[in-house]
Amino acid sequence: MRIGILTGGGDAPGLNSCIRAAVARVEDLGWEVIGIRRGWAGLLENDSLPLSWSLVEKTVSLGGTMLETSRTNPFKREGDDKRVMENFEKMRLDALIAIGGDDTLTVAHKLAQRGLPIVGVPKTMDNDVPLTDYTIGFDTAVNISTEAIDRLHTTAASHRRLMVVEVMGRDAGWVAIASGLAGGAHLILIPEVPYDLEEVANFLLERKAKGNTYSLIVVSEAIHPKDGTEPFGYEKREVDAFGHVRLGGVGHVFAELLERKTGMETRATVLGHLIRSGPPTPFDRNLGTYLALKAVELIKEKKWDYMSALRGTEYISVDLGTVLSQTKRVPIELYNQIKLFFR
Ligand code: F6P
């Protein structure tokens, strides 16, 4: 058997340990393994490299992806999907492990539906892939964000300021909720619960009136207001091959809006790509490892169009069709529960 591996979408810490584990297991089975560079772009351009244990052995602690990545969508331009199918043949692949978030997994599913032997592995720091408790990269993002929040408390307090901390997460507030809660944020805003500027401003003024000298709020990059007006200028921004607008920077605009409304001296810190860069946490390293081992089991069982996943303490398989028919957003009940700490 000749197995290909690719990583698509945004990079995430833990990808290299996933690739490394897949290589170890595939070699152990006596099969051959090749890496496809830059996600689906590598299959479009027939760009690959042979992988071996000696090449991946020391990558367990490295962030990013040694295979590089891109947001290439072979179903966007006419003929690209055919080219991918042809190159799959040319590369003599018997199976492919596609590691990615919902966009990469959607492409994997479409190709599997056309008969290609593909299995998926869930990766995204956003943690919004359904039917797996965690995705590769989320834990590291929460760790880095929490450390940043811990640090930002001290400067905010020293200057008696309002600090707005923006974290990535696209349409899901998982990173904001997890790091904001762990970091003792005074308020957390997420895309799942549209905010009311007036209410946020009043909350901050009340906090101040109660004797609190500073406030720190965590905002997810895709927050939006209740009234439907969009102060963040998304309409002027470019979209990627999957139709997603480029986010990032709302923290600055939001900080300005709040400063004007409350009269409080305000600063914003946009954590941006920092939270998905650098060494993965031990959890992400091992998550990547076990998800890869499970993915190779799926190949052995010829369970195409399935994804490895973590449920509780067990590594399981779920079919991609079901995964992609759902969304995984922060439930309102969870948000309401942690409102207890917004004070
Ligand atoms: O989907 C992962 C993610 O990190 C999002 O949280 C973020 O909006 C996006 O990628 C950023 O993408 P890029 O690296 O292409 O700017």
Side-chain angles (χ1 to χ4, degrees), residues 90-134:
K90 274 192 201 150
M91 288 181 182
R92 294 180 291 107
L93 294 179
D94 296 302
L96 174 71
I97 302 174
I99 313 169
D102 51 356
D103 293 334
T104 306
L105 296 174
T106 300
V107 173
H109 174 59
K110 282 186 185 167
L111 292 170
Q113 293 282 296
R114 292 178 183 197
L116 291 191
I118 303 183
V119 298
V121 173
K123 169 279 327 175
T124 166
M125 51 142 287
D126 303 342
N127 201 34
D128 62 348
V129 175
L131 302 176
T132 182
D133 291 349
Y134 293 107

Side-chain angles (χ1 to χ4, degrees), residues 285-299:
R285 297 179 199 190
N286 294 341
L287 177 71
T289 298
Y290 288 120
L291 286 172
L293 297 181
K294 183 71 190 178
V296 179
E297 288 312 300
L298 297 183
I299 293 177

Side-chain angles (χ1 to χ4, degrees), residues 2-290:
R2 192 170 144 91
I3 314 297
I5 309 178
L6 64 79
T7 52
D11 72 314
L15 281 172
N16 287 324
S17 68
C18 185
I19 297 162
R20 175 180 178 266
V23 170
R25 185 67 182 123
V26 168
E27 279 191 352
D28 187 46
L29 289 165
W31 299 343
E32 203 184 331
V33 55
I34 66 164
I36 292 154
R37 286 197 187 89
R38 302 186 59 245
W40 300 113
L43 261 176
L44 267 176
E45 293 154 17
N46 206 347
D47 188 5
S48 65
L49 71 158
L51 292 177
S52 62
W53 178 247
S54 59
L55 215 66
V56 297
E57 187 185 355
K58 296 190 176 71
T59 61
V60 73
S61 61
L62 292 184
T65 161
M66 64 172 292
L67 296 178
E68 305 173 287
T69 187
S70 69
R71 296 192 188 277
T72 307
N73 180 358
F75 289 96
K76 183 136 198 282
R77 202 173 52 186
E78 202 165 329
D80 279 359
D81 52 336
K82 227 179 114 223
R83 259 174 71 200
V84 164
M85 308 276 291
E86 284 164 8
N87 284 335
F88 201 95
E89 284 269 300
K90 274 192 201 150
M91 288 181 182
R92 294 180 291 107
L93 294 179
D94 296 302
L96 174 71
I97 302 174
I99 313 169
D102 51 356
D103 293 334
T104 306
L105 296 174
T106 300
V107 173
H109 174 59
K110 282 186 185 167
L111 292 170
Q113 293 282 296
R114 292 178 183 197
L116 291 191
I118 303 183
V119 298
V121 173
K123 169 279 327 175
T124 166
M125 51 142 287
D126 303 342
N127 201 34
D128 62 348
V129 175
L131 302 176
T132 182
D133 291 349
Y134 293 107
T135 51
I136 298 170
F138 172 66
D139 187 64
T140 308
V142 171
N143 272 268
I144 311 254
S145 305
T146 304
E147 191 196 331
I149 294 165
D150 287 345
R151 288 175 181 277
L152 290 165
H153 272 287
T154 67
T155 178
S158 302
H159 288 265
R160 295 196 167 185
R161 281 174 177 156
L162 165 61
M163 180 63 76
V164 175
V165 187
E166 179 193 312
V167 294
M168 279 184 173
R170 199 159 276 289
D171 302 320
W174 294 110
V175 177
I177 286 288
S179 60
L181 184 63
H186 304 117
L187 180 67
I188 305 168
L189 299 178
I190 58 172
E192 290 88 341
V193 185
Y195 69 85
D196 180 324
L197 191 65
E198 205 70 35
E199 267 175 32
V200 175
N202 288 339
F203 166 80
L204 293 167
L205 290 169
E206 275 166 33
R207 257 186 64 75
K208 195 176 173 188
K210 279 192 250 164
N212 296 294
T213 53
Y214 82 100
S215 292
L216 184 148
I217 73 179
V218 172
V219 302
S220 199
E221 62 177 351
I223 54 162
H224 49 273
K226 253 184 196 158
D227 62 14
T229 56
E230 198 50 87
F232 303 121
Y234 292 135
E235 65 287 349
K236 290 186 224 115
R237 293 195 168 188
E238 62 195 63
V239 291
D240 68 16
F242 291 91
H244 304 303
V245 73
R246 191 162 50 77
L247 299 169
V250 298
H252 288 294
V253 183
F254 196 61
E256 243 182 80
L257 293 175
L258 282 177
E259 189 165 56
R260 255 184 270 147
K261 267 254 177 273
T262 62
M264 292 175 182
E265 190 184 1
T266 307
R267 295 288 187 272
T269 303
V270 176
L271 296 182
H273 291 81
L274 186 67
I275 69 173
R276 68 171 212 221
S277 304
T281 56
F283 181 88
D284 268 331
R285 297 179 199 190
N286 294 341
L287 177 71
T289 298
Y290 288 120

